[in-house]
C-alpha cells in the first residue's frame, strides 16, 4: 500500500468516528472562517463543491456566498473523471449524481468554466506544512489544477497569478507531511475550525 493510500485510510477512518453534531458544528465555524478570507470577499466567481457525509461541511458556505451575490460553480463528474461545471442556484436545485454526489441541475458550462473562478475550494483529506494536499485519489482535481496551470502559462503569467486555492479541513487533518508526486501542487490556504493558515503570499 502506498503512503498516500495508507494515510487516506487512516484519515477516512477518523472521519467516520465523527458524530453528526461534530460535523454540523464544524461546518458552521468553517463557513464563518472561510467567509472572512479576503480572497472570497473580492471574488465574483468561486468554484466550490457540495460536501457529503463526514466531509468538512460546505453547504452553509455555498448559501452564504450566493447570498453575497457571488457566482458559485459546482463540479459535475464526467464519465472519464474529469469535471464539468454548473452554477449553484440553491440546495433545492441539487440532484443526485454518481458516487453519491449532488450536482446542480442547470446547464453545463464546460470543463474550462473553472478558469473564471478567482478562488477554487478543493476537497481534501489532509494538507501539510508546505500546503501539499491529499485528495481522495480519483484524479479529478489533478486535472482541474493542471488546467488552471496551463491557462496561466498560456497567458504568459506566473502560476500564482491564477486563482487562490483553498481547502477546508478538520484541525487534525493538518499533518506533518503528505506524500507527494511530481504533478502535485500546493494550496495557498487551509481553513479549519481552529483557524486559517497560509502557505504562500496569496
Amino acid at each position: 500500500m502506498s503512503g498516500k493510500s495508507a494515510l487516506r485510510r487512516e484519515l477516512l477512518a477518523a472521519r467516520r468516528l465523527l458524530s453528526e453534531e461534530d460535523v454540523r458544528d464544524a461546518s458552521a465555524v468553517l463557513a464563518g472562517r472561510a467567509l472572512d478570507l479576503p480572497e472570497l470577499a473580492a471574488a465574483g466567481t468561486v468554484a466550490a463543491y457540495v460536501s457529503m457525509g463526514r466531509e468538512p461541511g460546505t453547504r452553509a458556505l455555498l448559501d452564504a456566498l450566493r447570498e453575497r451575490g457571488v457566482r458559485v460553480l459546482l463540479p459535475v463528474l464526467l464519465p472519464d473523471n474529469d469535471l464539468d461545471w454548473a452554477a449553484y442556484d440553491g440546495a433545492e436545485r441539487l440532484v443526485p449524481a454518481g458516487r453519491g454526489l449532488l450536482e446542480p441541475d442547470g446547464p453545463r458550462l464546460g470543463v474550462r468554466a473553472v478558469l473564471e473562478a478567482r478562488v477554487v475550494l478543493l476537497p481534501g483529506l489532509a494538507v501539510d506544512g508546505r500546503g501539499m494536499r491529499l485528495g481522495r485519489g480519483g484524479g479529478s482535481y489533478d486535472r482541474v489544477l493542471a488546467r488552471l496551470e496551463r491557462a496561466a502559462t498560456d497567458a504568459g503569467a506566473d502560476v500564482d497569478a491564477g486563482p487562490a486555492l483553498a481547502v477546508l479541513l478538520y484541525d487534525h487533518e493538518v499533518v506533518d507531511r503528505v506524500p507527494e508526486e511530481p504533478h502535485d501542487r500546493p494550496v495557498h490556504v487551509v481553513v479549519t475550525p481552529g483557524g486559517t493558515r497560509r502557505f504562500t503570499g496569496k
Side-chain angles (χ1 to χ4, degrees):
M1 181 183 298
S2 73
K4 282 189 174 183
S5 297
L7 185 55
R8 283 190 188 104
R9 288 186 60 176
E10 177 184 331
L11 293 164
L12 287 169
R15 282 188 179 180
R16 285 192 292 270
L17 297 176
L18 296 171
S19 68
E20 290 186 13
E21 184 178 6
D22 292 333
V23 176
R24 186 170 58 250
D25 291 348
S27 173
V29 177
L30 283 168
R33 290 198 183 282
L35 287 168
D36 285 340
L37 291 175
E39 294 90 343
L40 282 180
T45 299
V46 172
Y49 61 96
V50 182
S51 57
M52 303 298 295
R54 297 293 192 267
E55 281 188 305
T58 64
R59 299 193 193 201
L61 176 58
L62 298 180
D63 288 332
L65 288 171
R66 187 165 171 260
E67 288 168 11
R68 276 186 179 180
V70 176
R71 179 176 180 241
V72 179
L73 303 178
L74 296 179
V76 176
L77 187 65
L78 297 172
D80 65 354
N81 276 351
D82 206 346
L83 296 179
D84 201 335
W85 299 87
Y88 177 59
D89 290 320
E92 69 280 0
R93 298 289 301 276
L94 296 175
V95 296
R99 300 188 185 177
L101 302 174
L102 292 173
E103 62 189 32
D105 64 359
R108 304 307 187 237
L109 303 174
V111 296
R112 291 179 59 82
V114 69
L115 302 181
E116 301 168 23
R118 294 312 304 150
V119 178
V120 179
L121 297 178
L122 303 164
L125 292 172
V127 70
D128 67 18
R130 304 165 300 157
M132 301 306 297
R133 178 188 69 98
L134 178 69
R136 285 182 173 263
S140 298
Y141 279 89
D142 291 332
R143 298 191 194 190
V144 171
L145 294 173
R147 190 166 287 126
L148 293 170
E149 189 169 336
R150 280 197 304 273
T153 301
D154 291 346
D158 185 89
V159 172
D160 279 343
L165 305 177
V167 60
L168 307 183
L169 295 174
Y170 298 111
D171 291 317
H172 68 274
E173 293 172 341
V174 179
V175 300
D176 290 336
R177 188 86 174 184
V178 166
E180 66 182 281
E181 297 174 53
H183 63 267
D184 290 333
R185 296 292 178 268
V187 299
H188 301 110
V189 60
V190 59
V191 181
T192 71
T196 298
R197 181 172 177 181
R198 296 179 179 279
F199 303 104
T200 74
K202 271 280 184 191

